[in-house]
Amino acid sequence: LVNGSSSTLDPLAPELLMDLHVKYIQALDTKKNDLEYWLTEHLRVNGIYWGITALQILGHPEALDQEQIVEYLVKCQHENGGFGGHIDHDTHILSTLSAVQVLITYDRLDAINVDKVVDYVVSLQNEDGSFSGDSWGETDTRFIFCAINCLSLLKRLDDKRLDLPKTIDYIVRCRNFDGGFGSSPGGESHAAQVYVCVGTLTILNALHHIDADQLGWWLSERQLKNGGLNGRPEKLEDVCYSWWVLSSLSMMRRVHWIDAPKLTLFILEAQDTETGGIADRPGNLPDVFHTNFGIAGLSLLGYPGLVAVDPVYCMPRHVIQRIGLDKH
Ligand SMILES: COc1ccc(S(=O)(=O)N2Cc3cc(C#N)ccc3N(Cc3cncn3C)C[C@H]2Cc2ccccc2)cc1
Ligand SMILES: [Zn+2]
């Protein structure tokens, strides 16, 4: 009952409309007459990572043209080694990580200059151990995770230019009295920041800096009566927190501290049964971001028929195993 899909509790419960979600993702790149398609141009590379990863977990890697996607991503790499959100957009650590994640998922790192990617990421590290998102210098624990995650995927954490002990110190400075983490020292605890800080410490084998019972309790407190999870106390439930909270609990071996059947039901009720796709909560419009993190969350909950996902990298577990990172 704990890990089964919701139908073990309630025969009328919705099920995951897998084929409809595959069609929703395939249709994303065809809406070229929608204003939204062009407004989200800056998100294109991130959107490809969200779409590809959802298709991988659904077991349909063939649903998009991999060669065409690789050719597009190659065009997004700048001479500084970073990737922009779209061709000729400024480079950013978020789109650089997304591009690397897709290329590794496709086993096509041969298509890009990996050494230049490493140079770009290393160039974003600051004196205090944090990382900036781009050359404008804005720092956020999210960017530290993107940098460490990317270097780990490229097997380049041993780069002599890095000061990893300082990065760990910076993350620890972002820990709050409630056991959670914020986007910078003194920042309020937020589930997405907990994920990026627990993920960074997991990759750097420094989880001993975390009080797993205290943080596990704060995370389990994110679950509301409707089964959904919020990001902070008093906030509304949102499907993407299924990923930020569950993956953090999974890294701390405490996924069972959440009511899995009730969360499963919440995610399934956020599906759009007409168009496919998953919204941030039931009744809202779906988007590729929440579709990916809803499906990834269901995979962590053991929903039947889904490919296993790695809680640290949010990539298929078999891909992480292929590159030998499944030691944690
Ligand atoms: C719809 O208004 C927005 C607002 C912001 C953004 S964003 O800054 O690019 N970004 C990615 C994102 C993508 C989509 C999709 N498709 C939808 C939302 C969303 N959010 C906003 C969000 C999600 N849950 C509640 N909120 C308000 C997260 C945000 C930050 C983020 C970026 C990368 C990785 C993780 C998180 C995009 C659209
Ligand atoms: Zn959300």
Side-chain angles (χ1 to χ4, degrees), residues 13-26:
E15 57 173 15
L16 185 61
L17 307 167
M18 298 173 83
D19 291 340
L20 199 55
H21 296 316
V22 171
K23 289 189 178 65
Y24 169 79
I25 293 165
Q26 288 176 311

Side-chain angles (χ1 to χ4, degrees), residues 238-241 280 289-290:
D238 177 332
V239 161
C240 70
Y241 290 112
D280 57 352
F289 179 90
H290 290 96

Side-chain angles (χ1 to χ4, degrees), residues 133-198:
D134 57 20
S135 51
W136 298 101
E138 181 204 359
T139 63
D140 178 313
T141 41
R142 266 192 312 151
F143 304 148
I144 300 174
F145 175 67
C146 289
I148 298 300
N149 182 330
C150 189
L151 291 168
S152 175
L153 286 170
L154 296 174
K155 314 303 276 298
R156 302 291 285 270
L157 279 175
D158 58 351
D159 192 296
K160 295 289 166 279
R161 296 167 287 179
L162 294 170
D163 186 338
L164 298 181
K166 258 198 188 159
T167 297
I168 293 170
D169 290 346
Y170 186 91
I171 294 281
V172 172
R173 282 172 48 212
C174 295
R175 192 180 55 200
N176 292 319
F177 58 89
D178 57 12
F181 292 86
S183 53
S184 63
E188 180 192 17
S189 292
H190 183 298
Q193 310 303 348
V194 166
Y195 166 69
V196 295
C197 291
V198 173

Side-chain angles (χ1 to χ4, degrees), residues 24 36 40 42-43 46-47 49-50 94 98 142 146 192 238-241 244 280-281 286-290 293:
Y24 169 79
E36 190 184 346
T40 57
H42 66 291
L43 283 176
N46 293 333
Y49 159 68
W50 295 322
L94 271 167
S98 291
R142 266 192 312 151
C146 289
D238 177 332
V239 161
C240 70
Y241 290 112
W244 312 129
D280 57 352
R281 60 181 65 90
D287 63 49
V288 67
F289 179 90
H290 290 96
F293 290 111

